[in-house]
């Protein structure tokens, strides 16, 4: 009965992870969301093996409570943690400090809080895998070649955070992995003209490193 805890599960890529993983009744899913009342798409998934837990990843106490609930349900262990929750808002050149801190608080510090909250359970699990969804934007080479906009600094820090955990816990048999999902359209609404222009610019930039790039994927 593999067990998974996943963050940012109310929508986007992680909702799809939960949908696909919960289709196998052998999996036990713990879906962490920031706000249960707005996680309606998650609630409507048919799997009976999904427990929805509420925790903002910047709140270590809330994460500790969520980890206790997981522990009670699994007998004190967890096999997989998928860190997906992230903040991605447009850069704010008028207030660089706020721009940095907002993104680092969620994407970097919040990811560390999640790993720390579930570490003891993962140590008792039989798989010991922690997947963190990062971004190609966090790669220096990609950044220089494409000038992609966005939250890349906090994702570069996430990549180093993951490397630090990987080094610290490799003797215990852990795999810590940061991976990029590619370019995924997670928006539910029809794009505005401004969003379409931004998308086309984005597309042109990605073509610089991936000449065969055909556009975004669905989750
Ligand atoms: N989509 C892409 O093309 C793309 C490309 C590269 C990397 N990524 C990475 O892939 C991951 C998923 O992306 P996505 O497009 O699916 O994102 P998304 O649709 O924007 O969803 C982000 C999720 O994170 C949650 N979240 C944000 N701040 C949180 C906090 N403080 N505490 C708890 N949850 C929080 C959101 O919760 P609410 O629902 O409550 O807002 C939401 O469920 C992210 O790490 C993103 O950086 C995505």
């Amino acid at each position: 009965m593999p067990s998974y805890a996943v963050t940012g599960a109310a929508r986007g890529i992680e909702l799809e992870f939960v949908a696909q993983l919960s289709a196998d009744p052998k999996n036990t899913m713990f879906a962490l969301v920031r706000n249960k009342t707005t996680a309606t798409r998650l609630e409507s998934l048919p799997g009976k093996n999904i427990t929805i837990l509420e925790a903002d990843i910047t709140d270590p106490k809330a994460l500790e409570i969520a980890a206790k609930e997981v522990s009670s349900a699994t007998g004190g262990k967890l096999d997989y943690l998928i860190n997906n929750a992230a903040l991605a808002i447009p850069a704010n050149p008028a207030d660089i400090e706020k721009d940095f801190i907002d993104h680092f608080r969620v994407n970097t510090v919040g990811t560390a809080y999640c790993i720390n909250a579930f570490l003891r359970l993962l140590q008792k699990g039989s798989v010991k895998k922690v997947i963190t969804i990062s971004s190609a934007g966090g790669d220096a080479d990609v950044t220089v070649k494409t000038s992609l906009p966005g939250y890349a600094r906090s994702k570069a820090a996430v990549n180093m955070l993951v490397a630090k955990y990987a080094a610290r816990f490799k003797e215990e048999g852990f795999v810590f992995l940061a991976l990029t999902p590619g370019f995924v359209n997670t928006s539910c609404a029809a794009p505005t003209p401004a969003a379409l222009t931004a998308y086309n610019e984005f597309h042109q930039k990605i073509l610089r490193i991936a000449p065969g790039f055909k556009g975004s994927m669905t989750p």
Side-chain angles (χ1 to χ4, degrees), residues 35-91:
N35 184 345
K36 269 189 187 178
T37 58
T38 55
T40 49
R41 292 167 69 206
L42 181 62
E43 273 182 342
S44 67
L45 291 177
K48 301 279 175 258
N49 48 352
I50 307 168
T51 303
I52 303 176
L53 301 171
E54 203 170 63
D56 190 305
I57 65 163
T58 62
D59 180 350
K61 287 200 181 110
L63 288 166
E64 208 52 55
I65 291 167
K68 275 194 185 133
E69 293 195 43
V70 172
S71 181
S72 310
T74 61
K77 56 190 182 173
L78 177 67
D79 294 316
Y80 300 86
L81 170 65
I82 307 179
N83 292 308
N84 164 85
L87 178 73
I89 48 177

Side-chain angles (χ1 to χ4, degrees), residues 10 13 43 59 75 81 84 91 118 141 148 163 171 183 199 217:
I13 294 170
E43 273 182 342
D59 180 350
L81 170 65
N84 164 85
F118 288 101
D141 196 37
L148 286 175
E171 301 299 338
F183 187 23
Y199 176 86
M217 297 174 276

Side-chain angles (χ1 to χ4, degrees), residues 8 11-13 34 56-57 84-86 133-134 151 155 181-182 184 186:
R11 59 190 167 94
I13 294 170
R34 188 158 44 168
D56 190 305
I57 65 163
N84 164 85
I133 309 301
S134 183
Y151 57 9
K155 290 292 191 177
V184 187
T186 53

